Amino acid sequence: MSNAPVPLIGLPACARQIGIHPFHIVGDKYMRAVSEAAGGMPLTVPAFGTALDVDTVLDRFDGLLFTGSPSNVEPAHYDGSPSADGTLHDPERDATTLPLIRAAIDRGVPMFCICRGVQELNVALGGSLHQSVHDVPGRLDHRSVDGQPRDVQYGPAHEVSLADGGLLASLWPTPEATVNSLHAQGIDRLAPGLVVEATAPDSQIEAVRVADAPAFALGVQWHPEWKVTEDPFSMAIFGAFGEATRKRAASRATAGG
C-alpha cells in the first residue's frame, strides 16, 4: 500500500439561507468527484469573504475545486450591466472565491474551476461575462431544459473543439469531445493571462487555463463532475487535477508543511 499522503482539496462553499438559518453548502457530486476521480479528501472552505484567512487556506490545502452553483457572479465585479430581476447572487461566495483564485495562482496551488468556477476565474483575472449567452447573436442556447430528469439535463449536449497543443488536447486522443451544457452565462471578454482550451460549435469559450500558472489551473464551462466515473474524458481531467494535488501533497509532506 502506498504511503503517499492523500491530498486535501478545498471546495469553497456557497452561502445559502435554508429556512431561518444560514448555511455553507457544497454539492454532493463535486465532493464525490474529488474523492472518486481525483483521489483527494474533499473539505469545505466556508464563504467567509474578507474574514477568510486566504494564506491559511493555501498553506493547508493541496488543491482547490471551484464548483458550479445556481447563483451568478455579481456583474459589478466586471463592470457589467445590472442583472435581470430574479437573478440569484451570492456576494459572500464572490468575496471568498475571487481573491482566493488570484492568491492560489500566485502560490502555485492546483485548482480546477467548473461552470460558475470558470466564470469566477475569468472575472478574478479581469475578464467579463455574457449574462445570457442565448441572447448573443450567433450563439446557441446552452441552458438545460427545465423540468427534465437530471440524467437528461446533464446528458451529452454538444461537442467542444480542443485547442491544439493545449492541456485538454494532451489528455484526449481526438480533437473533439462531447460534453453536457447547463449554463446561461459564459465568458465574454477573455481575461489577460488566460488561454482558450476548448470552444463550442458556436465559438463560445468552453474551457481555459492560466497560461503561466506554476501548477494545474484549468477551468471548464461544462460539468465533468456529473457521473464522472462513467465518462473517460471527465476521468482524464479529474485525474490530471488529482495528480497535480498529489505532487503538492508530497512536497508539503517532505517539507513538513
Side-chain angles (χ1 to χ4, degrees), residues 1-138:
M1 181 177 296
S2 173
N3 292 321
V6 175
L8 302 180
I9 299 178
L11 293 85
C14 296
R16 287 288 182 277
Q17 186 87 10
I18 303 176
I20 62 173
H21 298 288
F23 286 80
H24 298 266
I25 62 173
V26 176
D28 175 80
K29 58 193 171 84
Y30 299 103
M31 292 282 201
R32 292 186 184 275
V34 164
S35 175
E36 297 171 4
M41 171 64 72
L43 297 170
T44 302
V45 177
F48 282 167
T50 56
L52 183 73
D53 187 333
V54 170
D55 285 332
T56 295
V57 171
L58 298 180
D59 285 344
R60 301 294 178 85
F61 284 101
D62 302 303
L64 295 169
L65 177 68
F66 294 86
T67 72
S69 171
S71 69
N72 291 334
V73 177
E74 291 267 14
H77 290 294
Y78 54 90
D79 295 326
S81 58
S83 299
D85 290 344
T87 300
L88 179 64
H89 292 298
D90 189 343
E92 292 91 348
R93 171 160 168 163
D94 290 348
T96 302
T97 57
L98 299 181
L100 187 57
I101 285 170
R102 291 188 286 264
I105 294 170
D106 289 342
R107 292 276 302 272
V109 177
M111 65 179 188
F112 185 21
C113 306
I114 296 174
C115 195
R116 190 195 209 270
V118 73
Q119 295 164 13
E120 291 168 332
L121 172 61
N122 192 54
V123 170
L125 299 185
S128 67
L129 303 176
H130 294 301
Q131 295 188 47
S132 300
V133 171
H134 48 280
D135 289 335
V136 178

Side-chain angles (χ1 to χ4, degrees), residues 145-196:
V145 179
D146 290 338
Q148 294 293 321
R150 280 186 299 169
D151 281 348
V152 175
Q153 292 192 39
Y154 283 86
H158 61 72
E159 289 189 332
V160 291
S161 298
L162 308 182
D164 289 342
L167 173 60
L168 290 177
S170 74
L171 299 174
W172 195 238
T174 63
E176 295 181 324
T178 301
V179 301
N180 51 30
S181 185
L182 298 94
H183 62 101
Q185 296 208 124
I187 291 174
D188 179 8
R189 184 183 69 253
L190 187 67
L194 292 182
V195 294
V196 175

